[in-house]
């Protein structure tokens, strides 16, 4: 199994932040919403938990050893615990919903 998995949104309108928070809460997770300004960056790091993240608006690129992954509204990303990654926020900023898996 890959340490980085992406599910691309293919529907008409992506889910709202409230819908995503509800979906993650319904499966027993404790999600939070967060956002960043255009051009913000996260240096390379890892977490001791699986990161489950949905892009709500804007865009963000995660830089991983498997390559770069750009997320747009509705896309879901899972990064396995201990997987090194960095991130760059797109030109319109980003809003995400995240939970620990």
């Amino acid at each position: 199994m890959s340490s980085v998995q992406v599910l691309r949104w293919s529907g008409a309108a992506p889910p709202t932040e409230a819908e995503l928070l509800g979906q993650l809460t319904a499966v027993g997770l404790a999600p939070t919403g967060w956002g960043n300004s255009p051009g913000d960056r996260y240096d390379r790091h890892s977490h001791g938990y699986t990161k489950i993240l949905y892009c709500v608006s804007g865009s963000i690129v995660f830089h991983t050893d498997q390559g770069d992954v750009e997320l747009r509204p509705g896309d879901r990303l899972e990064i396995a615990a201990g997987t090194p990654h960095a991130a760059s926020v797109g030109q319109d900023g980003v809003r995400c919903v995240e939970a620990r898996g």
Side-chain angles (χ1 to χ4, degrees):
M1 182 168 120
S2 175
S3 58
V4 179
Q5 296 183 350
V6 179
L7 290 170
R8 299 285 179 199
W9 178 255
S10 61
T16 66
E17 184 168 344
E19 290 169 335
L20 293 169
L21 290 168
Q23 288 175 17
L24 292 170
T25 300
V27 296
L29 300 176
T32 58
W34 55 267
N36 284 104
S37 298
D40 282 353
R41 295 182 166 275
Y42 290 92
D43 291 333
R44 189 169 166 90
H45 65 283
S46 63
H47 305 280
Y49 56 86
T50 296
K51 178 188 202 83
I52 300 168
L53 182 139
Y54 282 93
C55 180
V56 176
S57 64
S59 65
I60 187 167
V61 176
F62 282 83
H63 310 287
T64 75
D65 291 346
Q66 294 174 247
D68 290 351
V69 177
E70 182 178 20
L71 300 181
R72 297 210 165 267
D75 292 346
R76 175 185 168 126
L77 173 73
E78 284 192 31
I79 300 178
T83 302
H85 60 281
S88 303
V89 176
Q91 66 182 11
D92 294 325
V94 73
R95 183 81 190 155
C96 294
V97 169
E98 181 176 332
R100 295 177 180 205

